[in-house]
Amino acid sequence: MAQPKFINVILPLAVPRIYTYEVPPTLQAQVDFGMRVEVPLRSKLYSAIIVETDVKPDPQHKPRKIVSMIDTSAIITREQYQFWQWLSSYYMTTIGEVMNVAVPAGLKLSSESKIIAMPGLMDKAGDMSDHEFLIAEAISIREELTIQEIQDILDKKTVFPVIKNLLEKGAILIKEELKTKYKPKIEDFIVLSDSYDRTDLSGAFEKIKRSEHQTHAFLSYISLSKDKPVVSKKDVLEMSGMKGAVVKALEKKGLVDIIRKEVSRFGGQIIETSEPPPLSTTQQEALDSIHKQFGDKDILLLFGVTGSGKTRIYMELIRETMAKGQQVLYLLPEIALTTQITARLQSVFGDKIGIYHSRMNNNERVELWNATLNNKPILLGARSSLLLPFRNLGLIIVDEEHDPSYKQNDPAPRYNARDAAIYLASMNGAKVILGTATPSLETYQNTIDKKYGLVKILERHGASVLPELTVIDLKEQYSKNLMSSLFSKPLVDLIQAALANKEQSLIFQNRRGYAPTLQCVTCDWHAGCPNCDVGLTVHRYFEELRCHYCGFRAPIPRDCPQCGFDQLKKIGFGTQKIEDEIKAIFPTARVRRMDYDTTKTKNAYERILNDFKEQKIDILVGTQMITKGMDFHNISVVGILLADKMLYFPDFRAHERAFQLITQVSGRAGRRARQGKVAIQTFNPDHPVILETLTYNYSRFYKRELRERKRF
């Protein structure tokens, strides 16, 4: 009799520990680290991942038995599990919550799931086993089944593997996750029937000589099959201009066989690659310095002004890492950035790049997960791509390392992707490049303390020059009655000139910091907390001003406490209002908005950016999404509507964020030979952050900000 075998598993639930299960003798030879197993927990069934084999159970508890094996090979790596353990410990959450966020929904199953039929379910009956056919038949009659009902129909507990097979065949869907459960993409392919030889097809043509359509379709197949015997049915129909019924007729006459094959959602399109432009002298010097410093430093800050060509340097580092047979993770803070960066990288590296972010459907996510396990060389994505199962990680690039979007707020684990990337790299012996034009204070401090290396590029690449920055005093504009709604006269003039020259404009409003505060348009008094030196937030419901730091409260004053003027303005307006106002001021301009509301769908970012690139948009209004990474040659004007809103945001990092945002959005202007113009509207033109931004004096900003933080 076989000795009992026990394993530890993790479940995608917020449970405080890992669980021990017994493995039945029939499955003992199959279990291994990283595989999914079907396990009971309380009254439900879940897919869990094995993290330890040959475990000694707690003698005070009798472990339950696993129900079935789901996988034949591991879906996670040991290094990945160690990383999950660190995330769980460091960010004080359960390992189950980490697994739940990390693993695509298509790789998770539970007995709470309801199964429904896909269209044409019974058409696939020929490929089904007896158990699969029984379930398919029952679902087609009853429309939906629970896992429990499927267990009753089959009179067995082990149903997850059967469900998995039906999911993969595209026969069923999980009701609660209609868009998330994984099923491979299946396409029809045509192959010449065994009855015929390619060298003599006279008999085949004799059979179809009466049908012009069939002859045309068959000739198209013969033409396409010169290089490869198996040809996509879609390609044949496209080339011949025929309908699917014509190919079906060829199959019935025994000329061809139609076979169904799984295809990648990311392959298919042939991407033409080309050599990137040669490195400039400055870029080559920066690359040499990186190589030198990587000798004794694993983490390096690439501090380059906007438009200095950091991406071109990343390309060289990616190429060198790939030559060693290692993987590269390229992290970006916003999904919006992946569109442009992907196009640039694909032009050099082709289909070696995989893209991973939260807007992808789970079928795509599962494919990318598997591609990473199979050593996909370059993975590009937002913070969630950090959780992929890397086999051989050699380099992590954290672009725009200062960006607050790297911090996960909900759900747990609430990790910072930049910091977690540094830990992941140290685990894998990989190097880290932190790239930015406006480093976060903590990163810059680490370079001062010699923990990180530092390489600076202080000039723009090629012929482009840094933009001309102008500060517009809103007090003066309001007092002279020069404002057109939210726009000052100088900004209106700049936009008007850009439209006349067929150039484009960006209008930035930091809606992310939407915290309406009170301000006097006469004397610039603003409602600040007497304890914390941050802006007080207007709470309309309570008719109060409140501090979100210390809890200070005060009634909303009717008159300005400083000058007695009775028209206090609630400062705070969103991108939608700005879009409406621009359309009123420039009725003939083509205006679009790019914010969370307009980019909810998967490809919305791509469509807006593509329209902007093709100059179908004259003025683009946006939030932080438009402040980074956008590299378009025709932007001549950038307008920052209210810099004060960033400066008085209730956060101790408000000044740091303001410096970063103003610098980043300014960097979108004039990225080729022409110098761009940036207009910064503010009630406080002498604010130190504004003055430091004007001269791009990071060193002075860093020293002053550090002094303030130390003092307070």
Side-chain angles (χ1 to χ4, degrees), residues 190 193 204 208 213-219 221 236 244-258:
I190 302 171
S193 170
I208 55 174
H213 286 177
Q214 289 172 28
T215 304
H216 200 39
F218 191 57
L219 279 168
Y221 163 71
V236 171
V246 178
V247 174
K248 198 78 181 160
L250 293 176
E251 185 189 27
K252 276 185 181 172
K253 289 183 178 176
L255 274 68
V256 298
D257 294 320
I258 297 175

Side-chain angles (χ1 to χ4, degrees), residues 44-145:
K44 294 171 185 168
L45 292 168
Y46 293 94
S47 55
I49 296 177
I50 302 169
V51 291
E52 284 179 79
T53 53
D54 299 316
V55 173
K56 287 186 179 174
D58 182 345
Q60 296 189 359
H61 296 282
K62 179 166 171 52
R64 298 171 77 176
K65 289 184 178 178
I66 68 169
V67 179
S68 69
M69 294 294 301
I70 297 175
D71 296 310
T72 54
S73 60
I75 68 157
I76 67 167
T77 66
R78 290 186 186 276
E79 294 79 12
Q80 187 183 18
Y81 177 56
Q82 286 170 18
F83 182 54
W84 288 2
Q85 287 176 303
W86 176 80
L87 281 172
S88 164
S89 163
Y90 188 78
Y91 292 103
M92 295 187 287
T93 185
T94 65
I95 190 77
E97 285 173 298
V98 178
M99 173 193 167
N100 192 41
V101 166
V103 177
L107 295 176
K108 293 179 289 198
L109 290 165
S110 80
S111 59
E112 296 168 312
S113 310
K114 285 187 177 176
I115 312 300
I116 64 169
M118 281 285 282
L121 166 67
M122 297 313 289
D123 295 346
K124 302 175 177 73
D127 295 338
M128 295 180 191
S129 67
D130 292 346
H131 283 150
E132 289 163 16
F133 182 79
L134 272 175
I135 295 173
E137 194 175 40
I139 293 171
S140 64
I141 295 165
R142 292 167 58 179
E143 293 188 350
E144 69 174 47
L145 292 173

Side-chain angles (χ1 to χ4, degrees), residues 662-680:
I662 295 170
T663 304
Q664 291 286 341
V665 75
S666 301
R668 301 312 112 210
R671 290 175 76 92
R672 295 298 181 269
R674 282 171 302 189
Q675 186 179 30
K677 290 185 167 60
V678 179
I680 303 169

Side-chain angles (χ1 to χ4, degrees), residues 411-481:
R414 292 168 177 84
Y415 63 99
N416 185 309
R418 178 198 61 202
D419 301 346
I422 289 168
Y423 186 83
L424 179 66
S426 70
M427 273 179 54
N428 287 271
K431 301 290 185 186
V432 180
I433 288 277
L434 305 172
T436 178
T438 52
S440 61
L441 261 64
E442 54 267 39
T443 296
Y444 197 71
Q445 183 65 45
N446 280 328
T447 67
I448 301 287
D449 296 340
K450 306 294 182 192
K451 289 181 184 175
Y452 300 171
L454 173 64
V455 173
K456 288 187 177 181
I457 311 177
L458 299 176
E459 60 184 56
R460 276 193 159 185
H461 175 63
S464 64
V465 288
L466 286 165
E468 177 192 327
L469 274 70
T470 306
V471 176
I472 299 161
D473 187 347
L474 287 177
K475 289 200 300 288
E476 184 187 327
Q477 292 288 309
Y478 274 108
S479 66
K480 292 181 178 176
N481 207 20

